[in-house]
PDB file of all heavy atoms in Angstrom:
ATOM      1  N   GLY E  17     -17.979 -48.896  10.920  1.00  0.00           N
ATOM      2  CA  GLY E  17     -17.348 -49.694   9.932  1.00  0.00           C
ATOM      3  C   GLY E  17     -17.969 -51.116   9.882  1.00  0.00           C
ATOM      4  O   GLY E  17     -17.476 -52.062   9.333  1.00  0.00           O
ATOM      5  N   SER E  21     -23.129 -58.083   7.057  1.00  0.00           N
ATOM      6  CA  SER E  21     -22.890 -59.422   7.681  1.00  0.00           C
ATOM      7  C   SER E  21     -22.292 -58.998   9.146  1.00  0.00           C
ATOM      8  O   SER E  21     -22.429 -59.932  10.072  1.00  0.00           O
ATOM      9  CB  SER E  21     -21.757 -60.156   6.864  1.00  0.00           C
ATOM     10  OG  SER E  21     -20.675 -59.359   6.682  1.00  0.00           O
ATOM     11  N   ASP E  22     -21.633 -57.936   9.304  1.00  0.00           N
ATOM     12  CA  ASP E  22     -21.165 -57.611  10.730  1.00  0.00           C
ATOM     13  C   ASP E  22     -22.305 -57.512  11.550  1.00  0.00           C
ATOM     14  O   ASP E  22     -22.301 -57.822  12.702  1.00  0.00           O
ATOM     15  CB  ASP E  22     -20.360 -56.309  10.718  1.00  0.00           C
ATOM     16  CG  ASP E  22     -18.957 -56.527   9.898  1.00  0.00           C
ATOM     17  OD1 ASP E  22     -18.527 -57.694   9.847  1.00  0.00           O
ATOM     18  OD2 ASP E  22     -18.504 -55.566   9.244  1.00  0.00           O
ATOM     19  N   GLU E  25     -23.694 -60.797  12.463  1.00  0.00           N
ATOM     20  CA  GLU E  25     -22.895 -61.439  13.375  1.00  0.00           C
ATOM     21  C   GLU E  25     -23.083 -60.842  14.867  1.00  0.00           C
ATOM     22  O   GLU E  25     -23.087 -61.501  15.806  1.00  0.00           O
ATOM     23  CB  GLU E  25     -21.373 -61.252  13.050  1.00  0.00           C
ATOM     24  CG  GLU E  25     -20.916 -62.336  12.050  1.00  0.00           C
ATOM     25  CD  GLU E  25     -19.394 -62.110  11.854  1.00  0.00           C
ATOM     26  OE1 GLU E  25     -18.674 -62.363  12.711  1.00  0.00           O
ATOM     27  OE2 GLU E  25     -19.123 -61.985  10.655  1.00  0.00           O
ATOM     28  N   ARG E  40     -27.950 -69.959  33.220  1.00  0.00           N
ATOM     29  CA  ARG E  40     -27.936 -70.351  34.642  1.00  0.00           C
ATOM     30  C   ARG E  40     -28.710 -69.726  35.687  1.00  0.00           C
ATOM     31  O   ARG E  40     -29.388 -70.390  36.348  1.00  0.00           O
ATOM     32  CB  ARG E  40     -26.347 -70.477  35.000  1.00  0.00           C
ATOM     33  CG  ARG E  40     -25.560 -71.536  34.283  1.00  0.00           C
ATOM     34  CD  ARG E  40     -24.145 -71.449  34.741  1.00  0.00           C
ATOM     35  NE  ARG E  40     -23.301 -71.873  33.702  1.00  0.00           N
ATOM     36  CZ  ARG E  40     -22.725 -73.120  33.499  1.00  0.00           C
ATOM     37  NH1 ARG E  40     -23.265 -74.118  34.261  1.00  0.00           N
ATOM     38  NH2 ARG E  40     -21.980 -73.456  32.465  1.00  0.00           N
ATOM     39  N   ARG E 352     -35.870 -82.813   0.474  1.00  0.00           N
ATOM     40  CA  ARG E 352     -35.906 -81.316   0.636  1.00  0.00           C
ATOM     41  C   ARG E 352     -36.936 -80.908   1.537  1.00  0.00           C
ATOM     42  O   ARG E 352     -36.803 -79.903   2.302  1.00  0.00           O
ATOM     43  CB  ARG E 352     -35.691 -80.684  -0.637  1.00  0.00           C
ATOM     44  CG  ARG E 352     -37.082 -80.811  -1.428  1.00  0.00           C
ATOM     45  CD  ARG E 352     -36.797 -80.368  -2.880  1.00  0.00           C
ATOM     46  NE  ARG E 352     -35.896 -81.344  -3.412  1.00  0.00           N
ATOM     47  CZ  ARG E 352     -35.311 -81.070  -4.682  1.00  0.00           C
ATOM     48  NH1 ARG E 352     -35.367 -80.118  -5.275  1.00  0.00           N
ATOM     49  NH2 ARG E 352     -34.506 -82.044  -5.141  1.00  0.00           N
ATOM     50  N   GLU E 428     -23.081 -77.965  26.825  1.00  0.00           N
ATOM     51  CA  GLU E 428     -23.031 -76.664  26.140  1.00  0.00           C
ATOM     52  C   GLU E 428     -23.307 -76.696  24.691  1.00  0.00           C
ATOM     53  O   GLU E 428     -24.052 -75.860  24.116  1.00  0.00           O
ATOM     54  CB  GLU E 428     -21.603 -76.099  26.420  1.00  0.00           C
ATOM     55  CG  GLU E 428     -21.672 -74.648  25.920  1.00  0.00           C
ATOM     56  CD  GLU E 428     -20.282 -74.063  26.275  1.00  0.00           C
ATOM     57  OE1 GLU E 428     -19.206 -74.598  26.389  1.00  0.00           O
ATOM     58  OE2 GLU E 428     -20.305 -72.687  26.406  1.00  0.00           O
ATOM     59  N   HIS E 440     -32.437 -67.819  15.635  1.00  0.00           N
ATOM     60  CA  HIS E 440     -33.045 -67.805  14.290  1.00  0.00           C
ATOM     61  C   HIS E 440     -34.486 -67.247  14.346  1.00  0.00           C
ATOM     62  O   HIS E 440     -34.762 -66.431  13.522  1.00  0.00           O
ATOM     63  CB  HIS E 440     -33.063 -69.285  13.866  1.00  0.00           C
ATOM     64  CG  HIS E 440     -33.847 -69.553  12.531  1.00  0.00           C
ATOM     65  ND1 HIS E 440     -33.315 -69.741  11.352  1.00  0.00           N
ATOM     66  CD2 HIS E 440     -35.352 -69.642  12.553  1.00  0.00           C
ATOM     67  CE1 HIS E 440     -34.368 -69.941  10.457  1.00  0.00           C
ATOM     68  NE2 HIS E 440     -35.482 -69.869  11.180  1.00  0.00           N
ATOM     69  N   THR E 464     -35.991 -68.835   4.668  1.00  0.00           N
ATOM     70  CA  THR E 464     -36.453 -69.988   4.055  1.00  0.00           C
ATOM     71  C   THR E 464     -37.515 -70.743   4.886  1.00  0.00           C
ATOM     72  O   THR E 464     -37.413 -70.857   6.050  1.00  0.00           O
ATOM     73  CB  THR E 464     -35.205 -70.976   3.678  1.00  0.00           C
ATOM     74  OG1 THR E 464     -34.633 -71.259   5.018  1.00  0.00           O
ATOM     75  CG2 THR E 464     -34.297 -70.418   2.771  1.00  0.00           C
ATOM     76  N   TRP E 465     -38.422 -71.383   4.153  1.00  0.00           N
ATOM     77  CA  TRP E 465     -39.432 -72.291   4.614  1.00  0.00           C
ATOM     78  C   TRP E 465     -40.452 -71.600   5.569  1.00  0.00           C
ATOM     79  O   TRP E 465     -41.411 -72.158   5.938  1.00  0.00           O
ATOM     80  CB  TRP E 465     -38.842 -73.492   5.402  1.00  0.00           C
ATOM     81  CG  TRP E 465     -38.114 -74.307   4.351  1.00  0.00           C
ATOM     82  CD1 TRP E 465     -36.732 -74.358   4.044  1.00  0.00           C
ATOM     83  CD2 TRP E 465     -38.739 -75.276   3.447  1.00  0.00           C
ATOM     84  NE1 TRP E 465     -36.521 -75.199   2.979  1.00  0.00           N
ATOM     85  CE2 TRP E 465     -37.534 -75.856   2.624  1.00  0.00           C
ATOM     86  CE3 TRP E 465     -39.991 -75.650   3.289  1.00  0.00           C
ATOM     87  CZ2 TRP E 465     -37.854 -76.704   1.554  1.00  0.00           C
ATOM     88  CZ3 TRP E 465     -40.256 -76.625   2.222  1.00  0.00           C
ATOM     89  CH2 TRP E 465     -39.165 -77.191   1.483  1.00  0.00           C
TER      90      TRP E 465
ATOM     91  N   LEU B  14     -36.423 -74.882  -2.659  1.00  0.00           N
ATOM     92  CA  LEU B  14     -37.103 -75.953  -3.401  1.00  0.00           C
ATOM     93  C   LEU B  14     -36.266 -76.666  -4.502  1.00  0.00           C
ATOM     94  O   LEU B  14     -36.708 -77.713  -4.990  1.00  0.00           O
ATOM     95  CB  LEU B  14     -38.431 -75.347  -3.894  1.00  0.00           C
ATOM     96  CG  LEU B  14     -39.477 -75.077  -3.023  1.00  0.00           C
ATOM     97  CD1 LEU B  14     -40.762 -74.520  -3.692  1.00  0.00           C
ATOM     98  CD2 LEU B  14     -39.912 -76.352  -2.243  1.00  0.00           C
ATOM     99  N   GLY B  19     -33.306 -79.081   0.683  1.00  0.00           N
ATOM    100  CA  GLY B  19     -34.202 -77.953   1.097  1.00  0.00           C
ATOM    101  C   GLY B  19     -33.637 -76.689   1.759  1.00  0.00           C
ATOM    102  O   GLY B  19     -34.260 -75.928   2.235  1.00  0.00           O
ATOM    103  N   ASP B  24     -29.747 -71.101   5.489  1.00  0.00           N
ATOM    104  CA  ASP B  24     -29.715 -72.334   6.297  1.00  0.00           C
ATOM    105  C   ASP B  24     -28.337 -72.929   6.259  1.00  0.00           C
ATOM    106  O   ASP B  24     -27.909 -73.439   7.254  1.00  0.00           O
ATOM    107  CB  ASP B  24     -30.644 -73.435   5.520  1.00  0.00           C
ATOM    108  CG  ASP B  24     -32.137 -73.007   5.630  1.00  0.00           C
ATOM    109  OD1 ASP B  24     -32.454 -72.314   6.603  1.00  0.00           O
ATOM    110  OD2 ASP B  24     -32.856 -73.274   4.636  1.00  0.00           O
ATOM    111  N   GLU B  27     -26.434 -71.047   8.819  1.00  0.00           N
ATOM    112  CA  GLU B  27     -26.947 -71.560  10.133  1.00  0.00           C
ATOM    113  C   GLU B  27     -26.306 -72.800  10.562  1.00  0.00           C
ATOM    114  O   GLU B  27     -25.789 -72.963  11.629  1.00  0.00           O
ATOM    115  CB  GLU B  27     -28.399 -71.621  10.281  1.00  0.00           C
ATOM    116  CG  GLU B  27     -29.054 -70.110  10.562  1.00  0.00           C
ATOM    117  CD  GLU B  27     -30.574 -70.307  10.824  1.00  0.00           C
ATOM    118  OE1 GLU B  27     -31.022 -71.381  11.401  1.00  0.00           O
ATOM    119  OE2 GLU B  27     -31.320 -69.546  10.293  1.00  0.00           O
ATOM    120  N   ASP B 438     -19.451 -68.802  30.038  1.00  0.00           N
ATOM    121  CA  ASP B 438     -20.294 -69.312  28.975  1.00  0.00           C
ATOM    122  C   ASP B 438     -20.459 -68.210  27.872  1.00  0.00           C
ATOM    123  O   ASP B 438     -20.365 -68.493  26.744  1.00  0.00           O
ATOM    124  CB  ASP B 438     -21.733 -69.463  29.509  1.00  0.00           C
ATOM    125  CG  ASP B 438     -21.862 -70.691  30.522  1.00  0.00           C
ATOM    126  OD1 ASP B 438     -20.887 -71.504  30.506  1.00  0.00           O
ATOM    127  OD2 ASP B 438     -22.747 -70.809  31.155  1.00  0.00           O
ATOM    128  N   ARG B 441     -17.066 -67.996  25.884  1.00  0.00           N
ATOM    129  CA  ARG B 441     -16.978 -69.041  24.985  1.00  0.00           C
ATOM    130  C   ARG B 441     -17.981 -68.891  23.718  1.00  0.00           C
ATOM    131  O   ARG B 441     -17.463 -69.090  22.586  1.00  0.00           O
ATOM    132  CB  ARG B 441     -17.451 -70.476  25.577  1.00  0.00           C
ATOM    133  CG  ARG B 441     -16.264 -71.081  26.375  1.00  0.00           C
ATOM    134  CD  ARG B 441     -16.487 -72.621  26.619  1.00  0.00           C
ATOM    135  NE  ARG B 441     -17.661 -72.725  27.433  1.00  0.00           N
ATOM    136  CZ  ARG B 441     -17.718 -72.610  28.646  1.00  0.00           C
ATOM    137  NH1 ARG B 441     -16.627 -72.336  29.447  1.00  0.00           N
ATOM    138  NH2 ARG B 441     -18.823 -72.914  29.407  1.00  0.00           N
ATOM    139  N   HIS B 450     -16.811 -67.323  12.486  1.00  0.00           N
ATOM    140  CA  HIS B 450     -16.566 -66.247  11.411  1.00  0.00           C
ATOM    141  C   HIS B 450     -15.378 -66.677  10.544  1.00  0.00           C
ATOM    142  O   HIS B 450     -15.476 -66.606   9.296  1.00  0.00           O
ATOM    143  CB  HIS B 450     -16.323 -64.883  12.122  1.00  0.00           C
ATOM    144  CG  HIS B 450     -15.817 -63.806  11.228  1.00  0.00           C
ATOM    145  ND1 HIS B 450     -16.653 -62.878  10.822  1.00  0.00           N
ATOM    146  CD2 HIS B 450     -14.630 -63.552  10.667  1.00  0.00           C
ATOM    147  CE1 HIS B 450     -16.061 -62.005  10.029  1.00  0.00           C
ATOM    148  NE2 HIS B 450     -14.697 -62.451   9.913  1.00  0.00           N
ATOM    149  N   TYR B 472     -20.202 -59.842   0.993  1.00  0.00           N
ATOM    150  CA  TYR B 472     -20.574 -59.697   2.544  1.00  0.00           C
ATOM    151  C   TYR B 472     -19.381 -59.832   3.405  1.00  0.00           C
ATOM    152  O   TYR B 472     -19.438 -59.783   4.671  1.00  0.00           O
ATOM    153  CB  TYR B 472     -21.690 -60.677   2.797  1.00  0.00           C
ATOM    154  CG  TYR B 472     -22.928 -60.469   2.073  1.00  0.00           C
ATOM    155  CD1 TYR B 472     -23.307 -61.381   1.080  1.00  0.00           C
ATOM    156  CD2 TYR B 472     -23.739 -59.454   2.342  1.00  0.00           C
ATOM    157  CE1 TYR B 472     -24.457 -61.236   0.392  1.00  0.00           C
ATOM    158  CE2 TYR B 472     -24.906 -59.173   1.514  1.00  0.00           C
ATOM    159  CZ  TYR B 472     -25.301 -60.102   0.578  1.00  0.00           C
ATOM    160  OH  TYR B 472     -26.418 -59.872  -0.136  1.00  0.00           O
ATOM    161  N   THR B 474     -16.522 -58.420   5.102  1.00  0.00           N
ATOM    162  CA  THR B 474     -16.080 -56.993   5.271  1.00  0.00           C
ATOM    163  C   THR B 474     -14.694 -56.914   5.929  1.00  0.00           C
ATOM    164  O   THR B 474     -14.361 -57.863   6.737  1.00  0.00           O
ATOM    165  CB  THR B 474     -17.120 -56.250   6.195  1.00  0.00           C
ATOM    166  OG1 THR B 474     -17.279 -57.050   7.318  1.00  0.00           O
ATOM    167  CG2 THR B 474     -18.474 -56.059   5.487  1.00  0.00           C
ATOM    168  N   TRP B 475     -13.919 -56.079   5.477  1.00  0.00           N
ATOM    169  CA  TRP B 475     -12.594 -55.722   5.988  1.00  0.00           C
ATOM    170  C   TRP B 475     -11.526 -56.757   5.690  1.00  0.00           C
ATOM    171  O   TRP B 475     -10.475 -56.583   6.052  1.00  0.00           O
ATOM    172  CB  TRP B 475     -12.749 -55.422   7.629  1.00  0.00           C
ATOM    173  CG  TRP B 475     -13.551 -54.264   7.861  1.00  0.00           C
ATOM    174  CD1 TRP B 475     -14.854 -54.301   8.211  1.00  0.00           C
ATOM    175  CD2 TRP B 475     -13.088 -52.854   7.730  1.00  0.00           C
ATOM    176  NE1 TRP B 475     -15.254 -52.957   8.249  1.00  0.00           N
ATOM    177  CE2 TRP B 475     -14.331 -51.986   8.004  1.00  0.00           C
ATOM    178  CE3 TRP B 475     -11.982 -52.207   7.444  1.00  0.00           C
ATOM    179  CZ2 TRP B 475     -14.357 -50.608   8.052  1.00  0.00           C
ATOM    180  CZ3 TRP B 475     -11.927 -50.841   7.455  1.00  0.00           C
ATOM    181  CH2 TRP B 475     -13.075 -50.009   7.667  1.00  0.00           C
TER     182      TRP B 475
END
Side-chain angles (χ1 to χ4, degrees):
Chain E
S21 57
D22 294 331
E25 272 186 60
R40 288 177 209 271
R352 69 198 59 194
E428 187 172 30
H440 166 102
T464 55
W465 293 96
Chain B
L14 285 176
D24 296 325
E27 275 186 39
D438 292 346
R441 275 198 299 278
H450 170 102
Y472 298 107
T474 54
W475 297 96

